[in-house]
């Protein structure tokens, strides 16, 4: 009897298990077959006028699969493909592609660039839909089971090109979409145009002449707002300058086009090619990433080190957009671009004039360093002062008496880590730098002389789990959910991998700012500097809204707004657009465009945008490779000079291999 019951129970269990397996298998099969990718039947709408305003007309050319923006006054025409070449019979997959996509193979992890022109002629298609003042063109890459809708809209004074990330379709079983190179030839110029050039906003600004050279085409690619501090990167020791402004442009001398990346700028790269002899054109444009990624280097037998890139699982469903502003006549140059961009910032209430007093120069006092010591034979580091508060006041008074002008003063590295980040969140300044009343005396003297004073607070990087912030719990996360780390690089191009700087979770920034405000109140400070947040844009994959540097602009604007509302002046360093617009004083303002062979000219574009609206100070003159050039560029662009200063040189310092402390001693710079 017991045996019969057991067999019945076993049979019933097998039936139930089989049912569950069948249902599960059916669900899995259905999902894998279709995902959220759908390939529609349809054709492009007929060629037609899409929209018109007082200055421009927007057309659709069905045969070319192209959008055209035409000036009513001059007849100048811009297109998302090389339209003149197309009319002459060109079949170039590069020049005839309105968009290109990059995909990642799920098996090999390799990335491939796919040109829309090639796919539309082979295994893909486009479907168009008329929208208000424009057109939506959906590009179907059937071989990869990816579809990308792009909206072209004529506004009052510009053409807007955008992608809604939430409307991208993909299957994802074999390939994942990584990025979209949007209208790569809309902003282009013929190589034969006399005086034609591309504008790239790396550092202070750079020009690439649209001319063909014996060296062939020259290419540049740069990440807007700099490299993501939460991305694990293979070793990269370039001497380039980061892109601070989300813009680019091209001019042929008679007309120009300025591209302004309005949304998802942090997820964009600017790509430029000058002197492309195969196409006969030079071009610059934006590539938007819709997935985050990490880069790894690993050993491989027979091939040495190999670099691979791992993309995130989830598609970033944000809107990406670029607004293109045509310029003509005397404004068809980088001066006109700078003026138009400043107008854009003012009209959108992004840029506001700072209410600060300028000085011809600024001093940044470097506070502490660590030296090796031991306790009972156990090695440790000891914090020592290079410039205490009393010494800082002595130096400021000495310079004021000698020059008749008091510098703007910033205190940096007055934490427990010395020159490197230490613990985050301390409301107490280490006693090695002096007493509270000495700090107040330095602050008050600067104010009495009509100059600014700022204490720098580190709110991005830290090395110790102390004071309410934990390395394990409160670090930002990479795509693979690893703790975000950055490493210092020695002058011999060696990474200091034993002492990583951890990147604070984006969710914790508000807490770090509150601690900085508490410290300012405790020590009666008049100004607060957040240097690292000015040039550090980063992701945090703990939260989808922070993927690929998402919401960085809003977060930083909120930080500076909070501090300003509390009654403090604000400052930052090497500022990206959003930080430069929010802070009162800009230190370490870029005055070069990086050591790139592809650039032909340096231009002070950054300074042209912010001049008379922000107090700007150069990179430290006394640490520059070329002293005279740094001074001349500061004078040319209307910046004050900057110096990094210490009172005492510490020969035992642990930081001598990373920082040029030998060039900062006051008596040597006087």
């Amino acid at each position: 009897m017991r045996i019969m019951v057991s067999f019945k129970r076993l049979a019933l269990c097998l039936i139930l298990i089989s049912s569950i397996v069948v249902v599960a298998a059916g669900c899995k099969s259905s999902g894998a077959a279709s995902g959220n990718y759908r390939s529609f039947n349809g054709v492009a709408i007929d060629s037609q006028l899409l929209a018109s305003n007082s200055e421009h007309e927007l057309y659709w050319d069905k045969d070319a699969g192209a959008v055209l923006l035409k000036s009513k006054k001059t007849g100048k025409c811009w297109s998302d493909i090389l339209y003149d070449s197309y009319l002459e019979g060109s079949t170039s997959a590069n020049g005839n592609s309105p968009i290109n996509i990059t995909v990642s193979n799920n098996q090999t992890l390799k990335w491939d660039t796919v040109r829309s022109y090639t796919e539309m002629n082979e295994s893909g298609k486009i479907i168009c839909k008329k929208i208000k003042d424009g057109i939506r063109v959906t590009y179907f890459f059937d071989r990869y089971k990816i579809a990308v809708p792009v909206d072209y809209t004529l506004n009052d004074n510009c053409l807007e090109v955008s992608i809604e990330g939430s409307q991208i379709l993909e299957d994802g079983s074999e390939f994942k979409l990584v990025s979209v190179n949007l209208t790569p030839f809309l902003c282009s110029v013929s190589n034969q145009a006399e005086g034609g050039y591309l504008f790239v906003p790396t550092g202070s600004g750079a020009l690439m002449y649209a001319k063909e050279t014996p060296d062939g085409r020259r290419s540049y690619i740069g990440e807007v707002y700099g490299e993501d501090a939460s991305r694990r990167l293979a070793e990269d020791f370039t001497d380039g300058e980061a892109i601070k402004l989300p813009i680019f442009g091209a001019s042929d001398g008679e007309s120009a086009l300025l591209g302004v990346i309005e949304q998802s700028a942090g997820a964009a790269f600017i790509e430029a090619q000058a002197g492309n002899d195969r196409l006969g054109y030079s071009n610059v444009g934006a590539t938007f990433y819709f997935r985050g990624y990490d880069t790894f280097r690993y050993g491989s037998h027979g091939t040495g080190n190999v670099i691979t890139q791992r993309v995130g699982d989830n598609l970033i469903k944000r809107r990406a957009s670029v607004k293109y502003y045509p310029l003509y006549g005397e404004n068809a140059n980088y001066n006109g671009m700078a003026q138009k961009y400043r107008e854009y910032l003012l009209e959108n209430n992004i840029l506001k004039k700072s209410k600060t007093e300028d000085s011809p120069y600024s001093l940044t006092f470097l506070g502490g360093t660590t030296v090796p010591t031991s306790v009972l034979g156990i090695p440790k580091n000891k914090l020592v002062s290079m410039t205490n508060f009393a010494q800082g006041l002595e130096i400021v008074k000495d310079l004021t008496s000698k020059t008749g002008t008091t510098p703007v003063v910033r205190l940096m590295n007055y934490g427990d880590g010395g020159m490197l980040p230490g613990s985050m969140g301390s409301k107490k300044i280490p006693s090695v730098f002096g007493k509270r009343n000495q700090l107040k005396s330095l602050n008050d003297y600067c104010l009495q002389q009509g100059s600014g004073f700022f204490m720098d607070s580190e709110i991005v990087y830290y090395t110790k789990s102390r004071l309410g912030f934990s390395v394990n719990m409160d670090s930002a996360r990479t795509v693979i959910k690893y703790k975000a780390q950055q490493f210092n690089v020695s002058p011999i191009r060696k990474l200091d991998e034993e002492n990583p700087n951890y990147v604070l979770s984006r969710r914790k920034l508000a807490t770090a700012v509150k601690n900085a405000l508490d410290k300012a109140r405790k020590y009666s400070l008049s100004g607060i500097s957040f240097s690292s947040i000015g040039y550090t844009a980063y992701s945090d994959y703990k939260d989808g809204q922070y993927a690929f540097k998402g919401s960085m602009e809003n977060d930083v604007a909120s930080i500076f707004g909070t501090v300003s509302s509390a009654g403090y002046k604000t400052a930052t360093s090497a500022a990206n657009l959003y930080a430069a617009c929010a802070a009162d004083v800009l230190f370490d303002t870029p005055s070069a465009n990086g050591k790139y062979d592809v650039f032909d000219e340096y231009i002070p574009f950054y300074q042209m945008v912010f001049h008379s609206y922000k107090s700007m100070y150069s990179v430290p003159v006394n640490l520059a490779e070329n002293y005279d050039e740094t001074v001349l560029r500061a004078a040319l662009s209307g910046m004050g000079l900057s110096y990094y200063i210490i009172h005492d040189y510490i020969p035992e310092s642990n930081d001598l291999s990373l920082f040029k402390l030998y060039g900062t001693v006051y008596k040597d710079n006087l």
Side-chain angles (χ1 to χ4, degrees):
M1 185 67 177
R2 292 176 181 172
I3 295 176
M4 290 295 292
V5 172
S6 299
F7 274 123
K8 287 181 180 179
R9 288 177 175 172
L10 177 61
L12 181 60
C13 289
L14 289 173
I15 291 172
L16 291 172
I17 291 171
S18 298
S19 300
I20 293 171
V21 169
V22 169
V23 172
C27 292
K28 182 178 181 181
S29 175
S30 174
S34 61
N36 69 348
Y37 176 77
R38 293 166 290 168
S39 183
F40 299 93
N41 292 321
V43 295
I45 64 175
D46 292 334
S47 299
Q48 60 182 269
L49 174 66
L50 298 168
S52 177
N53 59 30
S54 60
E55 296 184 2
H56 296 94
E57 295 174 330
L58 188 65
Y59 289 91
W60 167 250
D61 186 324
K62 174 185 175 181
D63 296 330
V67 174
L68 294 86
L69 177 67
K70 183 178 180 180
S71 168
K72 288 183 175 181
K73 182 177 181 180
T74 68
K76 171 68 178 181
C77 186
W78 288 273
S79 175
D80 55 357
I81 67 171
L82 291 179
Y83 194 67
D84 288 344
S85 296
Y86 163 78
L87 294 178
E88 294 172 357
S90 170
T91 58
S92 166
N94 190 4
N96 288 331
S97 292
I99 71 169
N100 304 312
I101 66 172
T102 299
V103 299
S104 176
N105 187 304
N106 293 343
Q107 297 298 319
T108 65
L109 301 183
K110 290 184 177 180
W111 292 13
D112 292 312
T113 297
V114 186
R115 306 195 186 284
S116 57
Y117 179 79
T118 302
E119 291 302 305
M120 298 312 106
N121 285 337
E122 294 183 2
S123 60
K125 51 185 170 292
I126 59 175
I127 295 178
C128 305
K129 176 184 177 182
K130 182 73 173 63
I131 60 176
K132 186 178 186 304
D133 297 323
I135 188 173
R136 173 173 296 167
V137 185
T138 302
Y139 302 88
F140 289 87
F141 299 84
D142 285 342
R143 190 189 321 185
Y144 302 92
K145 295 183 173 60
I146 293 171
V148 181
V150 181
D151 289 356
Y152 302 81
T153 307
L154 181 63
N155 296 333
D156 289 340
N157 57 353
C158 68
L159 170 65
E160 183 175 11
V161 184
S162 62
I163 300 173
E164 291 287 353
S166 60
Q167 296 178 357
I168 293 174
L169 304 177
E170 67 169 5
D171 175 86
S173 58
E174 296 181 58
F175 297 94
K176 288 186 174 71
L177 176 69
V178 179
S179 66
V180 179
N181 181 214
L182 192 60
T183 60
F185 290 98
L186 186 58
C187 200
S188 61
V189 58
S190 169
N191 293 343
Q192 304 305 314
E194 186 176 352
Y197 57 77
L198 307 177
F199 160 63
V200 179
T202 178
S204 60
L207 301 182
M208 300 171 68
Y209 290 140
K211 62 181 180 180
E212 297 174 15
T213 67
D215 296 329
R217 66 181 180 183
R218 292 156 288 135
S219 300
Y220 167 83
I221 180 170
E223 185 171 354
V224 177
Y225 302 148
E227 293 176 344
D228 189 339
S230 289
R231 186 183 306 132
R232 294 176 61 83
L233 291 168
E235 294 178 7
D236 181 11
F237 298 127
T238 64
D239 289 319
E241 293 278 352
I243 290 177
K244 304 293 183 182
L245 307 177
I247 55 176
F248 53 87
S251 171
D252 64 10
E254 297 180 354
S255 59
L257 198 63
L258 171 67
V260 177
I261 305 175
E262 187 167 66
Q263 293 177 287
S264 295
F269 282 66
I270 292 176
E271 299 188 39
Q273 291 192 68
N276 189 326
D277 54 356
R278 296 185 63 181
L279 295 175
Y281 284 82
S282 301
N283 65 292
V284 60
T287 294
F288 291 94
Y289 278 70
F290 288 91
R291 272 191 170 85
Y293 67 93
D294 280 340
T295 302
F296 302 92
R297 185 189 297 272
Y298 62 91
S300 177
H301 180 68
T303 60
N305 288 334
V306 176
I307 295 177
T308 188
Q309 292 163 311
R310 168 75 180 272
V311 299
D313 293 329
N314 299 322
L315 198 68
I316 300 174
K317 298 183 178 180
R318 288 197 294 264
R319 188 172 191 265
S321 66
V322 183
K323 286 186 174 179
Y324 291 91
Y325 293 86
L327 302 168
Y328 305 99
E330 62 181 12
N331 293 321
N333 48 52
Y334 67 81
N335 294 287
M337 294 180 196
Q339 180 179 342
K340 172 58 68 174
Y341 188 49
R342 181 148 78 167
E343 291 174 0
Y344 167 86
L345 295 174
L346 293 171
E347 289 171 359
N348 288 276
N349 202 31
I350 298 172
L351 175 62
K352 297 180 180 179
K353 189 175 180 63
S354 298
K355 297 178 181 179
T356 55
E357 296 295 331
D358 288 334
S359 174
Y361 66 114
S362 71
L363 293 186
T364 294
F365 289 125
L366 306 180
T369 187
T370 58
V371 297
T373 185
S374 64
V375 177
L376 300 176
I378 301 175
K380 61 176 297 186
N381 290 326
K382 177 184 177 182
L383 178 67
V384 298
S385 172
M386 296 185 294
T387 316
N388 62 38
F389 303 138
Q391 291 166 341
L393 179 58
E394 175 189 333
I395 291 173
V396 173
K397 285 183 175 181
D398 186 44
L399 282 173
T400 301
S401 67
K402 287 182 168 62
T403 66
T405 305
T406 302
V408 171
V409 173
R410 175 178 54 164
L411 305 187
M412 288 188 68
N413 310 117
Y414 282 78
D416 60 6
M419 293 293 291
L420 298 176
S423 56
M424 177 81 72
S426 175
K427 299 181 182 66
K428 182 179 179 182
I429 298 174
S431 60
V432 297
F433 302 118
K435 298 180 179 180
R436 185 187 308 185
N437 66 319
Q438 293 173 318
L439 174 57
K440 187 176 186 304
S441 295
L442 175 55
N443 179 92
D444 292 348
Y445 180 80
C446 291
L447 294 185
Q448 292 164 6
Q449 299 298 318
S451 189
F453 178 87
F454 301 90
M455 169 70 82
D456 194 68
S457 287
E458 178 58 73
I459 60 172
V460 176
Y461 300 108
Y462 64 117
T463 58
K464 304 173 185 177
S465 292
R466 287 182 59 199
L467 304 169
F469 292 94
S470 165
V471 165
N472 290 323
M473 299 298 295
D474 297 324
S475 295
R477 298 290 159 168
T478 68
V479 166
I480 61 170
K481 304 303 190 289
Y482 191 76
K483 295 189 295 292
Q485 300 174 333
Q486 289 290 305
F487 302 96
N488 295 297
V489 182
S490 74
I492 59 172
R493 296 297 198 264
K494 178 175 173 50
L495 288 178
D496 182 12
E497 297 184 88
E498 295 182 0
N499 300 292
N501 300 326
Y502 296 95
V503 184
L504 186 67
S505 169
R506 293 280 297 277
R507 297 176 184 174
K508 291 289 184 176
L509 281 175
T511 303
V513 172
K514 180 181 180 300
N515 291 340
L517 281 171
D518 289 343
K519 181 188 294 183
R521 295 186 187 101
K522 179 177 180 179
Y523 289 92
S524 302
L525 302 176
S526 58
I528 302 176
S529 167
F530 296 117
S531 291
S532 59
I533 198 69
Y535 57 79
T536 305
Y538 67 100
S539 310
D540 187 354
Y541 291 91
K542 286 180 179 178
D543 192 324
Q545 69 173 316
Y546 300 134
F548 223 118
K549 298 184 278 189
S551 298
M552 199 74 216
E553 299 94 334
N554 293 335
D555 285 359
V556 173
S558 177
I559 287 170
F560 283 98
T562 297
V563 176
S564 295
S565 297
Y568 297 93
K569 299 297 184 184
T570 59
T572 190
S573 282
N576 290 327
L577 169 71
Y578 47 84
C581 289
D584 295 310
V585 176
L586 310 182
F587 291 103
D588 306 307
T589 306
S591 59
N593 53 27
K595 295 182 178 179
Y596 295 104
D597 294 335
V598 297
F599 295 148
D600 295 296
E601 296 288 350
Y602 147 85
I603 59 173
F605 192 97
Y606 187 100
Q607 289 79 0
M608 293 165 67
V609 171
F610 295 112
H611 179 67
S612 78
Y613 277 80
K614 301 291 177 179
S615 297
M616 294 182 286
Y617 295 93
S618 70
V619 296
V621 172
N622 55 322
L623 298 182
E625 293 183 9
N626 189 318
Y627 180 99
D628 293 335
E629 182 177 286
T630 302
V631 172
L632 288 172
R633 285 186 174 179
L636 171 69
S637 55
M639 294 190 295
L641 300 179
S642 171
Y643 293 86
Y644 278 27
I645 294 297
I646 63 175
H647 186 274
D648 298 318
Y649 181 76
I650 312 297
E652 301 85 15
S653 168
N654 290 321
D655 300 316
L656 297 182
S657 63
L658 296 176
F659 302 98
K660 299 177 182 178
L661 298 179
Y662 56 84
T664 61
V665 180
Y666 175 63
K667 63 181 180 180
D668 296 335
N669 284 279
L670 181 54

